[in-house]
């Protein structure tokens, strides 16, 4: 008879995600994981597989949640321009609010693992492409409402905004001058015409 799990799989995965997000893949040891997750190694292995598989599960949890949050944020405003302005302001404000910038877990993974691990190259690229689709749908809503020019290339503009978001997120890890970031994003948002 199989033993029932004595832990909440979602809660321990959330704990692993937070730890990987804070420390990265390489710097996170199995001892760190067992301490943070509150479960023993055999439970990690039987539930999630090895460290790499656990990291992948944590990354997938993050990207699914983050994409849903971004979609909800952009859909919560009738004005597409306002939606993007508030979205980028929230990204910036969130990074300046805390003492330590964790950045975006997916972008951290893209920088740490994607250059030499094809699996994580694919996963991070998939997330970027999915976010580009969310941005494109939002831009198309602005075109349909007449807020944005009818000849706007929604796909290309969405891709440009994704590049801006990724660059912004990486740059924010070094806590640049706030005015530098604000000016850059204000100029980026002028693409929404």
């Amino acid at each position: 008879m199989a033993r029932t799990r004595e832990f909440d799989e979602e809660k321990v995965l959330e704990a692993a995600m937070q730890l990987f997000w804070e420390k990265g893949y390489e710097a996170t040891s199995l001892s760190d994981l067992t301490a943070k997750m509150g479960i023993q190694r055999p439970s990690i292995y039987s539930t999630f597989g090895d460290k790499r598989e656990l990291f992948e599960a944590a990354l997938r949890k993050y990207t699914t949640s983050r994409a849903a949050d971004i979609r909800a944020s952009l859909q919560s405003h009738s004005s597409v321009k306002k939606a993007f302005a508030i979205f980028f302001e929230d990204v910036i404000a969130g990074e300046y609010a805390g003492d330590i910038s964790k950045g975006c877990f997916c972008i951290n993974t893209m920088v740490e693992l994607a250059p030499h691990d094809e699996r994580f190259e694919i996963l991070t690229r998939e997330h970027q492409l999915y976010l580009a689709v969310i941005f494109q749908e939002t831009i198309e809503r602005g075109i349909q409402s007449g807020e944005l020019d009818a000849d706007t290339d929604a796909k290309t503009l969405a891709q440009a905004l994704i590049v801006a978001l990724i660059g912004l997120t990486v740059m924010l890890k070094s806590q640049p001058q706030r005015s530098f970031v604000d000016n850059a994003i204000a100029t980026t948002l002028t693409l929404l015409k």
Side-chain angles (χ1 to χ4, degrees):
M1 184 165 116
R3 280 180 58 170
T4 58
R5 291 201 172 104
E6 297 173 7
F7 58 89
D8 182 326
E9 190 173 322
E10 282 302 308
K11 285 183 182 177
V12 298
L13 183 56
E14 175 72 23
M17 182 187 79
Q18 292 298 327
L19 185 62
F20 281 130
W21 189 359
E22 179 184 330
K23 295 180 77 170
Y25 179 78
E26 292 297 333
T28 302
S29 69
L30 279 172
S31 297
D32 294 333
L33 288 165
T34 57
K36 183 78 171 181
M37 296 168 74
I39 60 175
Q40 298 303 313
R41 287 180 190 208
S43 294
I44 291 175
Y45 294 132
S46 67
T47 305
F48 302 104
D50 63 15
K51 178 182 165 185
R52 186 173 184 272
E53 291 170 310
L54 174 59
F55 186 88
E56 182 177 333
L59 180 61
R60 286 183 184 280
K61 177 179 178 57
Y62 174 86
T63 57
T64 300
S65 173
R66 184 69 178 134
D69 290 347
I70 290 172
R71 182 182 294 281
S73 171
L74 292 174
Q75 289 178 346
S76 67
H77 303 281
S78 58
S79 165
V80 167
K81 290 179 182 180
K82 182 177 180 178
F84 277 111
I86 290 171
F87 169 74
F88 277 98
E89 175 55 34
D90 287 348
V91 170
I92 295 166
E95 290 301 313
Y96 282 100
D99 294 332
I100 298 173
S101 173
K102 291 194 310 187
C104 168
F105 182 28
C106 185
I107 293 171
N108 295 347
T109 303
M110 184 175 62
V111 171
E112 180 186 13
L113 297 178
H116 55 271
D117 188 317
E118 184 179 12
R119 182 73 187 140
F120 291 108
E121 174 192 337
I122 292 167
L123 290 173
T124 57
R125 187 178 330 116
E126 285 174 351
H127 183 62
Q128 294 163 38
L129 293 173
Y130 186 65
L131 293 184
V133 168
I134 293 171
F135 279 23
Q136 182 177 338
E137 290 170 355
T138 304
I139 293 163
E140 288 168 349
R141 181 168 50 93
I143 294 168
Q144 290 168 357
S145 73
E147 182 181 5
L148 301 179
D149 290 346
D151 63 348
T152 300
D153 183 338
K155 182 176 183 177
T156 302
L157 179 53
Q159 291 169 347
L161 292 175
I162 289 296
V163 170
L165 174 62
I166 292 170
L168 172 67
T169 305
V170 172
M171 179 179 246
L172 286 172
K173 291 182 81 62
S174 67
Q175 296 285 311
Q177 265 190 328
R178 178 70 190 254
S179 62
F180 182 93
V181 173
D182 288 341
N183 292 336
I185 294 305
T187 300
T188 300
L189 292 174
T190 65
L191 295 171
L192 296 163
K193 52 186 173 160

